[in-house]
Amino acid sequence: MADPVLLTISGSLRREATNRKLLAEAVRVFGPASVVEADLSLPLYDGDAEAADGIPPAVQKLADQIAASDAVVISTPEYNKGPSGVLKNALDWVSRTEGNPWADKPVAVMSAAAGRAGGEQAQALLRSFLVPFQPRVLSGPGVHLAGSSKEFDEAGRLTSEQYEATLTKLMQKLRSELTR
Protein backbone atom coordinates (compact mmCIF):
# COMPACT_ATOMS: atom_id res chain seq x y z
CA MET A 1 0.00 0.00 0.00
CA ALA A 2 1.27 3.49 -0.86
CA ASP A 3 1.86 6.01 1.89
CA PRO A 4 -1.37 7.78 2.90
CA VAL A 5 -1.86 11.43 2.02
CA LEU A 6 -1.95 13.47 5.23
CA LEU A 7 -3.18 17.06 5.00
CA THR A 8 -2.07 19.39 7.79
CA ILE A 9 -3.99 22.59 8.54
CA SER A 10 -2.60 25.20 10.92
CA GLY A 11 -5.03 27.76 12.25
CA SER A 12 -2.10 30.14 12.62
CA LEU A 13 -0.49 31.90 9.67
CA ARG A 14 2.78 32.66 11.46
CA ARG A 15 5.73 30.76 10.00
CA GLU A 16 7.11 29.91 13.47
CA ALA A 17 3.72 29.29 15.10
CA THR A 18 3.60 26.63 17.77
CA ASN A 19 0.63 25.10 15.95
CA ARG A 20 2.87 24.55 12.92
CA LYS A 21 5.49 23.00 15.21
CA LEU A 22 2.85 20.77 16.76
CA LEU A 23 1.73 19.66 13.30
CA ALA A 24 5.34 18.86 12.37
CA GLU A 25 5.59 16.69 15.46
CA ALA A 26 2.26 15.03 14.57
CA VAL A 27 3.61 14.22 11.11
CA ARG A 28 6.79 12.80 12.64
CA VAL A 29 4.97 10.44 14.99
CA PHE A 30 2.27 9.56 12.41
CA GLY A 31 4.91 7.76 10.39
CA PRO A 32 5.25 7.28 6.65
CA ALA A 33 2.92 9.57 4.73
CA SER A 34 2.80 11.94 1.82
CA VAL A 35 2.29 15.24 3.64
CA VAL A 36 0.52 18.27 2.19
CA GLU A 37 0.42 21.56 4.10
CA ALA A 38 -2.68 23.69 3.59
CA ASP A 39 -2.36 27.42 2.98
CA LEU A 40 -5.05 29.44 4.73
CA SER A 41 -3.97 32.77 3.23
CA LEU A 42 -7.41 33.20 1.71
CA PRO A 43 -9.54 36.26 1.05
CA LEU A 44 -12.21 36.96 3.62
CA TYR A 45 -15.47 35.29 2.73
CA ASP A 46 -17.76 37.75 0.96
CA GLY A 47 -20.99 36.56 -0.62
CA ASP A 48 -20.98 39.45 -3.08
CA ALA A 49 -17.45 38.58 -4.24
CA GLU A 50 -18.46 34.93 -4.56
CA ALA A 51 -21.51 35.89 -6.65
CA ALA A 52 -19.40 38.13 -8.90
CA ASP A 53 -16.24 36.03 -9.23
CA GLY A 54 -17.06 32.52 -8.02
CA ILE A 55 -14.84 30.43 -5.77
CA PRO A 56 -11.30 31.82 -5.54
CA PRO A 57 -8.63 29.45 -6.90
CA ALA A 58 -6.89 29.27 -3.49
CA VAL A 59 -10.15 28.13 -1.88
CA GLN A 60 -10.77 25.51 -4.58
CA LYS A 61 -7.19 24.28 -4.10
CA LEU A 62 -7.84 23.82 -0.37
CA ALA A 63 -11.11 21.96 -1.04
CA ASP A 64 -9.31 19.73 -3.54
CA GLN A 65 -6.53 19.04 -1.03
CA ILE A 66 -9.09 18.01 1.58
CA ALA A 67 -10.86 15.76 -0.91
CA ALA A 68 -7.60 14.15 -2.08
CA SER A 69 -6.27 13.48 1.41
CA ASP A 70 -6.68 10.22 3.27
CA ALA A 71 -6.73 12.04 6.62
CA VAL A 72 -6.52 15.59 7.97
CA VAL A 73 -4.80 16.98 11.07
CA ILE A 74 -5.91 20.44 12.24
CA SER A 75 -4.11 22.42 14.92
CA THR A 76 -5.72 25.59 16.18
CA PRO A 77 -4.55 28.40 18.41
CA GLU A 78 -7.02 29.92 20.85
CA TYR A 79 -7.84 33.56 20.28
CA ASN A 80 -10.39 35.05 22.69
CA LYS A 81 -11.74 31.61 23.67
CA GLY A 82 -12.18 30.40 20.09
CA PRO A 83 -10.33 29.15 17.01
CA SER A 84 -8.58 31.65 14.80
CA GLY A 85 -10.53 33.72 12.31
CA VAL A 86 -8.42 32.42 9.42
CA LEU A 87 -9.41 28.85 10.26
CA LYS A 88 -13.12 29.70 10.51
CA ASN A 89 -12.87 31.69 7.27
CA ALA A 90 -11.32 28.67 5.51
CA LEU A 91 -14.10 26.40 6.75
CA ASP A 92 -16.72 28.88 5.58
CA TRP A 93 -15.15 29.19 2.13
CA VAL A 94 -14.74 25.43 1.67
CA SER A 95 -18.40 24.95 2.57
CA ARG A 96 -19.23 26.98 -0.54
CA THR A 97 -17.41 24.62 -2.94
CA GLU A 98 -19.13 21.82 -4.89
CA GLY A 99 -19.67 18.60 -3.00
CA ASN A 100 -18.40 18.04 0.52
CA PRO A 101 -14.68 17.23 0.63
CA TRP A 102 -14.91 16.59 4.41
CA ALA A 103 -17.55 13.84 4.22
CA ASP A 104 -16.42 10.76 6.15
CA LYS A 105 -12.81 12.04 6.21
CA PRO A 106 -10.78 10.99 9.29
CA VAL A 107 -9.81 14.20 11.13
CA ALA A 108 -7.63 14.71 14.20
CA VAL A 109 -7.97 18.03 16.02
CA MET A 110 -5.38 19.50 18.40
CA SER A 111 -4.40 22.86 19.77
CA ALA A 112 -1.39 24.82 20.94
CA ALA A 113 -1.97 28.02 22.86
CA ALA A 114 -0.30 30.39 25.28
CA GLY A 115 -2.92 29.89 27.98
CA ARG A 116 -2.96 27.24 30.68
CA ALA A 117 -5.84 25.30 29.09
CA GLY A 118 -3.89 24.85 25.86
CA GLY A 119 -6.70 25.89 23.55
CA GLU A 120 -9.29 23.50 24.92
CA GLN A 121 -12.20 25.90 24.28
CA ALA A 122 -11.00 26.69 20.76
CA GLN A 123 -10.76 22.99 20.05
CA ALA A 124 -14.28 22.34 21.34
CA LEU A 125 -15.67 25.11 19.11
CA LEU A 126 -13.68 23.85 16.12
CA ARG A 127 -15.19 20.41 16.60
CA SER A 128 -18.66 21.97 16.56
CA PHE A 129 -17.78 23.92 13.39
CA LEU A 130 -16.91 20.62 11.67
CA VAL A 131 -20.22 18.89 12.54
CA PRO A 132 -22.14 20.09 9.43
CA PHE A 133 -19.45 18.62 7.17
CA GLN A 134 -19.73 15.15 8.78
CA PRO A 135 -16.09 14.09 8.86
CA ARG A 136 -14.97 11.33 11.22
CA VAL A 137 -13.48 13.60 13.91
CA LEU A 138 -11.52 11.55 16.43
CA SER A 139 -12.80 11.91 19.98
CA GLY A 140 -9.32 11.91 21.44
CA PRO A 141 -7.05 11.59 23.19
CA GLY A 142 -7.06 15.35 23.59
CA VAL A 143 -3.89 17.24 22.71
CA HIS A 144 -4.11 20.70 24.31
CA LEU A 145 -0.60 22.13 24.40
CA ALA A 146 -0.57 24.76 27.17
CA GLY A 147 2.08 27.47 27.41
CA SER A 148 3.05 26.30 23.95
CA SER A 149 5.97 28.68 23.38
CA LYS A 150 7.90 26.83 26.10
CA GLU A 151 7.11 23.28 24.94
CA PHE A 152 9.52 22.95 21.99
CA ASP A 153 13.31 22.73 21.86
CA GLU A 154 15.51 24.57 19.34
CA ALA A 155 14.93 21.80 16.79
CA GLY A 156 11.15 22.13 17.09
CA ARG A 157 10.71 18.88 19.03
CA LEU A 158 8.31 18.56 21.95
CA THR A 159 10.13 18.57 25.27
CA SER A 160 7.36 17.00 27.36
CA GLU A 161 7.19 13.22 27.36
CA GLN A 162 3.54 13.42 28.38
CA TYR A 163 2.58 15.62 25.41
CA GLU A 164 4.58 13.42 23.04
CA ALA A 165 2.93 10.26 24.38
CA THR A 166 -0.57 11.76 24.00
CA LEU A 167 0.22 13.04 20.50
CA THR A 168 1.58 9.63 19.53
CA LYS A 169 -1.63 7.92 20.72
CA LEU A 170 -3.74 10.38 18.73
CA MET A 171 -1.72 9.84 15.56
CA GLN A 172 -1.84 6.04 16.01
CA LYS A 173 -5.60 6.32 16.31
CA LEU A 174 -5.74 8.48 13.16
CA ARG A 175 -3.63 5.95 11.25
CA SER A 176 -5.92 3.12 12.35
CA GLU A 177 -8.92 5.13 11.07
CA LEU A 178 -7.49 4.84 7.56
CA THR A 179 -8.42 1.16 7.44
CA ARG A 180 -12.04 1.70 8.45
Side-chain angles (χ1 to χ4, degrees):
M1 175 183 198
D3 289 344
V5 176
L6 184 64
L7 177 65
T8 63
I9 301 176
S10 173
S12 179
L13 297 176
R14 287 185 326 116
R15 197 171 25 256
E16 293 297 316
T18 55
N19 281 281
R20 288 184 185 278
K21 291 177 182 181
L22 183 56
L23 285 168
E25 285 290 86
V27 166
R28 182 181 63 78
V29 300
F30 183 82
S34 176
V35 179
V36 177
E37 183 179 350
D39 180 2
L40 300 190
S41 298
L42 307 172
L44 291 175
Y45 178 74
D46 178 342
D48 291 338
E50 179 188 8
D53 304 321
I55 301 295
V59 171
Q60 189 60 56
K61 179 180 178 181
L62 176 59
D64 293 345
Q65 288 173 327
I66 295 165
S69 68
D70 294 306
V72 179
V73 183
I74 305 172
S75 189
T76 184
E78 184 168 284
Y79 298 152
N80 303 307
K81 306 294 183 191
S84 67
V86 297
L87 183 53
K88 179 65 166 83
N89 184 58
L91 295 174
D92 290 342
W93 261 122
V94 169
S95 76
R96 306 295 299 161
T97 63
E98 286 294 315
N100 177 6
W102 293 104
D104 205 36
K105 185 79 55 183
V107 176
V109 174
M110 60 187 66
S111 52
R116 66 179 181 253
E120 189 172 15
Q121 287 185 329
Q123 198 176 124
L125 281 174
L126 174 57
R127 289 171 181 279
S128 73
F129 294 164
L130 291 168
V131 167
F133 308 129
Q134 299 190 6
R136 293 192 332 252
V137 179
L138 301 182
S139 60
V143 176
H144 310 98
L145 197 62
S148 62
S149 65
K150 297 178 177 112
E151 293 298 333
F152 296 92
D153 65 18
E154 303 78 34
R157 297 284 303 269
L158 281 170
T159 57
S160 164
E161 289 179 17
Q162 180 180 352
Y163 281 137
E164 182 161 356
T166 305
L167 179 62
T168 299
K169 286 179 189 172
L170 181 63
M171 290 301 97
Q172 288 171 343
K173 191 172 178 183
L174 183 62
R175 186 172 280 281
S176 71
E177 275 296 305
L178 297 176
T179 60
R180 261 191 60 198

